[in-house]
mmCIF file of all heavy atoms in Angstrom:
data_model
loop_
_atom_site.group_PDB
_atom_site.id
_atom_site.type_symbol
_atom_site.label_atom_id
_atom_site.label_comp_id
_atom_site.label_asym_id
_atom_site.label_seq_id
_atom_site.Cartn_x
_atom_site.Cartn_y
_atom_site.Cartn_z
ATOM 1 N N LEU D 485 64.646 -5.879 0.501
ATOM 2 C CA LEU D 485 65.146 -4.692 -0.177
ATOM 3 C C LEU D 485 66.669 -4.658 -0.098
ATOM 4 O O LEU D 485 67.296 -5.457 0.593
ATOM 5 C CB LEU D 485 64.562 -3.428 0.468
ATOM 6 C CG LEU D 485 63.039 -3.357 0.553
ATOM 7 C CD1 LEU D 485 62.626 -2.124 1.324
ATOM 8 C CD2 LEU D 485 62.431 -3.364 -0.836
ATOM 9 N N ARG D 486 67.259 -3.700 -0.814
ATOM 10 C CA ARG D 486 68.712 -3.588 -0.792
ATOM 11 C C ARG D 486 69.239 -3.222 0.596
ATOM 12 O O ARG D 486 70.297 -3.677 1.020
ATOM 13 C CB ARG D 486 69.163 -2.526 -1.801
ATOM 14 C CG ARG D 486 69.047 -2.967 -3.258
ATOM 15 C CD ARG D 486 69.515 -1.859 -4.170
ATOM 16 N NE ARG D 486 69.516 -2.289 -5.564
ATOM 17 C CZ ARG D 486 69.850 -1.496 -6.583
ATOM 18 N NH1 ARG D 486 70.181 -0.233 -6.361
ATOM 19 N NH2 ARG D 486 69.848 -1.958 -7.824
ATOM 20 N N THR D 487 68.494 -2.371 1.300
ATOM 21 C CA THR D 487 68.982 -1.846 2.575
ATOM 22 C C THR D 487 68.395 -2.539 3.793
ATOM 23 O O THR D 487 68.894 -2.346 4.897
ATOM 24 C CB THR D 487 68.673 -0.344 2.674
ATOM 25 O OG1 THR D 487 67.249 -0.143 2.548
ATOM 26 C CG2 THR D 487 69.377 0.420 1.566
ATOM 27 N N ARG D 488 67.320 -3.322 3.620
ATOM 28 C CA ARG D 488 66.696 -3.935 4.786
ATOM 29 C C ARG D 488 65.731 -5.034 4.342
ATOM 30 O O ARG D 488 65.358 -5.122 3.171
ATOM 31 C CB ARG D 488 65.925 -2.894 5.592
ATOM 32 C CG ARG D 488 64.729 -2.292 4.875
ATOM 33 C CD ARG D 488 64.150 -1.132 5.672
ATOM 34 N NE ARG D 488 62.897 -0.655 5.137
ATOM 35 C CZ ARG D 488 62.790 0.259 4.170
ATOM 36 N NH1 ARG D 488 63.882 0.767 3.626
ATOM 37 N NH2 ARG D 488 61.596 0.665 3.746
ATOM 38 N N ASN D 489 65.364 -5.857 5.294
ATOM 39 C CA ASN D 489 64.325 -6.864 5.095
ATOM 40 C C ASN D 489 63.161 -6.545 6.018
ATOM 41 O O ASN D 489 63.373 -6.130 7.162
ATOM 42 C CB ASN D 489 64.854 -8.270 5.393
ATOM 43 C CG ASN D 489 66.008 -8.650 4.486
ATOM 44 O OD1 ASN D 489 66.040 -8.262 3.334
ATOM 45 N ND2 ASN D 489 66.976 -9.391 5.026
ATOM 46 N N GLU D 490 61.936 -6.734 5.520
ATOM 47 C CA GLU D 490 60.744 -6.399 6.295
ATOM 48 C C GLU D 490 59.825 -7.617 6.375
ATOM 49 O O GLU D 490 59.517 -8.239 5.347
ATOM 50 C CB GLU D 490 59.972 -5.248 5.643
ATOM 51 C CG GLU D 490 60.731 -3.942 5.556
ATOM 52 C CD GLU D 490 60.624 -3.123 6.819
ATOM 53 O OE1 GLU D 490 59.884 -3.547 7.731
ATOM 54 O OE2 GLU D 490 61.269 -2.068 6.893
ATOM 55 N N PHE D 491 59.404 -7.936 7.596
ATOM 56 C CA PHE D 491 58.396 -8.973 7.809
ATOM 57 C C PHE D 491 57.202 -8.326 8.491
ATOM 58 O O PHE D 491 57.355 -7.637 9.499
ATOM 59 C CB PHE D 491 58.960 -10.092 8.689
ATOM 60 C CG PHE D 491 57.922 -11.104 9.109
ATOM 61 C CD1 PHE D 491 57.516 -12.101 8.241
ATOM 62 C CD2 PHE D 491 57.343 -11.048 10.366
ATOM 63 C CE1 PHE D 491 56.555 -13.022 8.623
ATOM 64 C CE2 PHE D 491 56.383 -11.960 10.763
ATOM 65 C CZ PHE D 491 55.994 -12.953 9.878
ATOM 66 N N SER D 492 56.004 -8.522 7.935
ATOM 67 C CA SER D 492 54.799 -7.892 8.487
ATOM 68 C C SER D 492 53.645 -8.870 8.466
ATOM 69 O O SER D 492 53.582 -9.760 7.604
ATOM 70 C CB SER D 492 54.415 -6.641 7.680
ATOM 71 O OG SER D 492 55.460 -5.703 7.645
ATOM 72 N N PHE D 493 52.729 -8.689 9.408
ATOM 73 C CA PHE D 493 51.486 -9.459 9.340
ATOM 74 C C PHE D 493 50.350 -8.647 9.940
ATOM 75 O O PHE D 493 50.557 -7.744 10.762
ATOM 76 C CB PHE D 493 51.619 -10.823 10.033
ATOM 77 C CG PHE D 493 51.612 -10.775 11.530
ATOM 78 C CD1 PHE D 493 50.430 -10.889 12.238
ATOM 79 C CD2 PHE D 493 52.794 -10.620 12.226
ATOM 80 C CE1 PHE D 493 50.423 -10.854 13.619
ATOM 81 C CE2 PHE D 493 52.796 -10.586 13.613
ATOM 82 C CZ PHE D 493 51.609 -10.704 14.311
ATOM 83 N N MET D 494 49.153 -8.954 9.497
ATOM 84 C CA MET D 494 47.954 -8.273 9.981
ATOM 85 C C MET D 494 46.848 -9.300 10.141
ATOM 86 O O MET D 494 46.596 -10.106 9.231
ATOM 87 C CB MET D 494 47.510 -7.177 9.001
ATOM 88 C CG MET D 494 46.263 -6.430 9.464
ATOM 89 S SD MET D 494 45.838 -5.030 8.373
ATOM 90 C CE MET D 494 45.290 -5.929 6.914
ATOM 91 N N LEU D 495 46.207 -9.277 11.293
ATOM 92 C CA LEU D 495 45.072 -10.145 11.587
ATOM 93 C C LEU D 495 43.798 -9.333 11.463
ATOM 94 O O LEU D 495 43.706 -8.223 11.978
ATOM 95 C CB LEU D 495 45.199 -10.722 13.002
ATOM 96 C CG LEU D 495 44.055 -11.629 13.478
ATOM 97 C CD1 LEU D 495 44.054 -12.923 12.679
ATOM 98 C CD2 LEU D 495 44.193 -11.904 14.969
ATOM 99 N N THR D 496 42.812 -9.878 10.773
ATOM 100 C CA THR D 496 41.530 -9.210 10.590
ATOM 101 C C THR D 496 40.424 -10.077 11.163
ATOM 102 O O THR D 496 40.304 -11.247 10.788
ATOM 103 C CB THR D 496 41.245 -8.951 9.099
ATOM 104 O OG1 THR D 496 42.286 -8.165 8.547
ATOM 105 C CG2 THR D 496 39.926 -8.217 8.928
ATOM 106 N N LEU D 497 39.665 -9.523 12.086
ATOM 107 C CA LEU D 497 38.476 -10.185 12.603
ATOM 108 C C LEU D 497 37.276 -9.419 12.090
ATOM 109 O O LEU D 497 37.157 -8.218 12.318
ATOM 110 C CB LEU D 497 38.482 -10.194 14.134
ATOM 111 C CG LEU D 497 39.676 -10.908 14.784
ATOM 112 C CD1 LEU D 497 39.556 -10.831 16.290
ATOM 113 C CD2 LEU D 497 39.752 -12.348 14.321
ATOM 114 N N LYS D 498 36.386 -10.083 11.415
ATOM 115 C CA LYS D 498 35.268 -9.405 10.774
ATOM 116 C C LYS D 498 34.470 -8.614 11.793
ATOM 117 O O LYS D 498 34.038 -9.128 12.810
ATOM 118 C CB LYS D 498 34.353 -10.419 10.080
ATOM 119 C CG LYS D 498 33.188 -9.762 9.375
ATOM 120 C CD LYS D 498 32.309 -10.778 8.686
ATOM 121 C CE LYS D 498 31.126 -10.096 8.031
ATOM 122 N NZ LYS D 498 30.217 -11.047 7.385
ATOM 123 N N GLY D 499 34.298 -7.325 11.487
ATOM 124 C CA GLY D 499 33.505 -6.468 12.352
ATOM 125 C C GLY D 499 34.287 -5.775 13.440
ATOM 126 O O GLY D 499 33.838 -4.780 13.981
ATOM 127 N N LEU D 500 35.499 -6.291 13.786
ATOM 128 C CA LEU D 500 36.269 -5.664 14.847
ATOM 129 C C LEU D 500 37.195 -4.577 14.319
ATOM 130 O O LEU D 500 38.003 -4.043 15.061
ATOM 131 C CB LEU D 500 37.096 -6.716 15.593
ATOM 132 C CG LEU D 500 36.279 -7.653 16.483
ATOM 133 C CD1 LEU D 500 37.188 -8.615 17.206
ATOM 134 C CD2 LEU D 500 35.455 -6.868 17.486
ATOM 135 N N GLY D 501 37.099 -4.265 13.026
ATOM 136 C CA GLY D 501 37.835 -3.132 12.489
ATOM 137 C C GLY D 501 39.131 -3.548 11.842
ATOM 138 O O GLY D 501 39.918 -4.292 12.395
ATOM 139 N N ALA D 502 39.384 -3.065 10.628
ATOM 140 C CA ALA D 502 40.630 -3.310 9.922
ATOM 141 C C ALA D 502 40.895 -2.122 9.030
ATOM 142 O O ALA D 502 40.004 -1.348 8.712
ATOM 143 C CB ALA D 502 40.536 -4.602 9.100
ATOM 144 N N THR D 503 42.136 -1.981 8.636
ATOM 145 C CA THR D 503 42.506 -0.874 7.765
ATOM 146 C C THR D 503 43.371 -1.393 6.641
ATOM 147 O O THR D 503 44.016 -2.434 6.769
ATOM 148 C CB THR D 503 43.250 0.217 8.550
ATOM 149 O OG1 THR D 503 43.507 1.318 7.675
ATOM 150 C CG2 THR D 503 44.583 -0.290 9.072
ATOM 151 N N GLY D 504 43.397 -0.674 5.524
ATOM 152 C CA GLY D 504 44.215 -1.076 4.404
ATOM 153 C C GLY D 504 45.667 -0.684 4.605
ATOM 154 O O GLY D 504 46.015 0.079 5.497
ATOM 155 N N SER D 505 46.540 -1.206 3.775
ATOM 156 C CA SER D 505 47.958 -0.907 3.832
ATOM 157 C C SER D 505 48.483 -0.810 2.419
ATOM 158 O O SER D 505 48.187 -1.664 1.579
ATOM 159 C CB SER D 505 48.708 -2.002 4.608
ATOM 160 O OG SER D 505 50.096 -1.901 4.414
ATOM 161 N N ARG D 506 49.271 0.237 2.134
ATOM 162 C CA ARG D 506 49.848 0.366 0.800
ATOM 163 C C ARG D 506 50.759 -0.811 0.502
ATOM 164 O O ARG D 506 50.846 -1.278 -0.625
ATOM 165 C CB ARG D 506 50.629 1.677 0.715
ATOM 166 C CG ARG D 506 49.754 2.926 0.756
ATOM 167 C CD ARG D 506 50.616 4.169 0.730
ATOM 168 N NE ARG D 506 49.812 5.374 0.871
ATOM 169 C CZ ARG D 506 50.326 6.582 1.062
ATOM 170 N NH1 ARG D 506 51.642 6.732 1.139
ATOM 171 N NH2 ARG D 506 49.540 7.635 1.184
ATOM 172 N N LYS D 507 51.476 -1.275 1.535
ATOM 173 C CA LYS D 507 52.378 -2.397 1.338
ATOM 174 C C LYS D 507 51.616 -3.646 0.904
ATOM 175 O O LYS D 507 51.969 -4.312 -0.070
ATOM 176 C CB LYS D 507 53.135 -2.681 2.632
ATOM 177 C CG LYS D 507 54.104 -3.855 2.538
ATOM 178 C CD LYS D 507 54.542 -4.341 3.907
ATOM 179 C CE LYS D 507 55.154 -3.243 4.717
ATOM 180 N NZ LYS D 507 55.667 -3.713 6.014
ATOM 181 N N PHE D 508 50.542 -3.982 1.620
ATOM 182 C CA PHE D 508 49.772 -5.168 1.287
ATOM 183 C C PHE D 508 49.077 -5.002 -0.067
ATOM 184 O O PHE D 508 48.988 -5.945 -0.850
ATOM 185 C CB PHE D 508 48.740 -5.461 2.375
ATOM 186 C CG PHE D 508 49.355 -5.778 3.713
ATOM 187 C CD1 PHE D 508 48.687 -5.473 4.883
ATOM 188 C CD2 PHE D 508 50.597 -6.364 3.802
ATOM 189 C CE1 PHE D 508 49.245 -5.758 6.121
ATOM 190 C CE2 PHE D 508 51.172 -6.655 5.032
ATOM 191 C CZ PHE D 508 50.495 -6.355 6.195
ATOM 192 N N ALA D 509 48.576 -3.785 -0.337
ATOM 193 C CA ALA D 509 47.871 -3.550 -1.604
ATOM 194 C C ALA D 509 48.799 -3.697 -2.798
ATOM 195 O O ALA D 509 48.379 -4.133 -3.875
ATOM 196 C CB ALA D 509 47.240 -2.153 -1.596
ATOM 197 N N SER D 510 50.076 -3.350 -2.660
ATOM 198 C CA SER D 510 51.004 -3.454 -3.779
ATOM 199 C C SER D 510 51.364 -4.900 -4.090
ATOM 200 O O SER D 510 51.811 -5.204 -5.197
ATOM 201 C CB SER D 510 52.281 -2.662 -3.473
ATOM 202 O OG SER D 510 52.985 -3.237 -2.385
ATOM 203 N N ILE D 511 51.180 -5.805 -3.139
ATOM 204 C CA ILE D 511 51.489 -7.216 -3.358
ATOM 205 C C ILE D 511 50.244 -7.977 -3.793
ATOM 206 O O ILE D 511 50.277 -8.760 -4.737
ATOM 207 C CB ILE D 511 52.083 -7.836 -2.083
ATOM 208 C CG1 ILE D 511 53.391 -7.126 -1.727
ATOM 209 C CG2 ILE D 511 52.319 -9.330 -2.263
ATOM 210 C CD1 ILE D 511 54.001 -7.593 -0.431
#
């Protein structure tokens, strides 16, 4: 972005619970 850079990651293990993210959904 103009004001900052963002690095993110999410690990999903089936059955151990995960949630959605607006950031990931937009990409």
Side-chain angles (χ1 to χ4, degrees):
L485 305 175
R486 287 180 175 178
T487 58
R488 65 188 189 273
N489 299 326
E490 298 275 356
F491 172 79
S492 302
F493 75 91
M494 180 175 70
L495 178 68
T496 302
L497 300 180
K498 181 179 178 182
L500 288 182
T503 184
S505 166
R506 291 177 184 171
K507 179 196 304 184
F508 297 150
S510 65
I511 298 176

